Amino acid sequence: MEIAHIQTPLGIAQIAGNNNGISSISVSDEGTISTTITPVLQAAVAQLNEYFEGKRHSFSFKINPQGTEFQQKVWKALLDIPYGKTRTYLEQSKVLGDVKAIRALASANGKNPLWIVVPCHRVIGTDGSLTGYAGGLWRKKWLLEHENPTNQQSLF
């Protein structure tokens, strides 16, 4: 497993993967930035940097998240939420075909190993609230605003 740490506006992202794909991306407030990036991780690092620069809305590098069959199903459904859009947990449970699975869906979202790339930050509460986010609600708010900035209207 190869690992790199990069600086992002939200903290230090750790990217881990091998020739089978990127298996995890997480963020923390501490860490040491990598001085070299191995070829296996270069596409992920470049694309994450482009995302934060506002130049990328989707990711094309190979991913390989590890999880249960249900978690994999939930994470795959998250990939269908477009950049700049949100879905509620209820809407997402309907996409999965079981409205009673909201709690299980929320749990699987919380175990998403691919920060930003599998966009669990785009799932919100039915009332529009920013419920639950492993990286902290302030990061979820930042990501949603980054993807859908409010333009200041001119009075003149």
Side-chain angles (χ1 to χ4, degrees):
M1 188 68 55
E2 301 189 31
I3 297 174
H5 294 89
I6 63 169
Q7 184 65 56
T8 76
L10 298 175
I12 297 174
Q14 177 179 292
I15 304 156
N18 57 30
N19 288 328
N20 294 324
I22 303 300
S23 57
S24 71
I25 301 173
S26 59
V27 65
S28 72
D29 295 323
E30 299 177 3
T32 303
I33 306 301
S34 299
T35 55
T36 58
I37 308 297
T38 63
V40 167
L41 304 177
Q42 285 177 350
V45 168
Q47 290 180 33
L48 279 169
N49 285 328
E50 290 169 357
Y51 169 86
F52 284 113
E53 292 167 1
K55 298 176 182 173
R56 177 170 289 277
H57 295 174
S58 63
F59 299 93
S60 60
F61 57 85
K62 186 176 178 182
I63 61 174
N64 187 25
Q66 302 299 304
T68 67
E69 184 178 331
F70 179 75
Q71 289 169 335
Q72 296 280 348
K73 183 178 175 183
V74 169
W75 300 335
K76 188 174 185 318
L78 290 169
L79 293 170
D80 294 331
I81 304 174
Y83 180 93
K85 303 292 183 189
T86 59
R87 283 192 191 148
T88 66
Y89 284 97
L90 179 59
E91 290 168 333
Q92 199 64 355
S93 67
K94 288 178 182 176
V95 166
L96 292 169
D98 186 357
V99 296
K100 296 177 184 173
I102 291 176
R103 287 183 190 267
L105 176 136
S107 176
N109 275 9
K111 293 180 176 122
N112 169 21
L114 290 167
W115 180 58
I116 298 175
V117 176
V118 175
C120 61
H121 62 277
R122 296 181 189 153
V123 181
I124 60 173
T126 303
D127 62 358
S129 62
L130 303 183
T131 59
Y133 190 64
L137 290 180
W138 72 272
R139 285 188 175 106
K140 183 172 187 164
K141 181 177 189 283
W142 190 98
L143 290 166
L144 292 174
E145 289 174 353
H146 175 71
E147 293 183 3
N148 196 7
T150 305
N151 293 329
Q152 179 69 35
Q153 300 222 349
S154 173
L155 297 175
F156 304 101

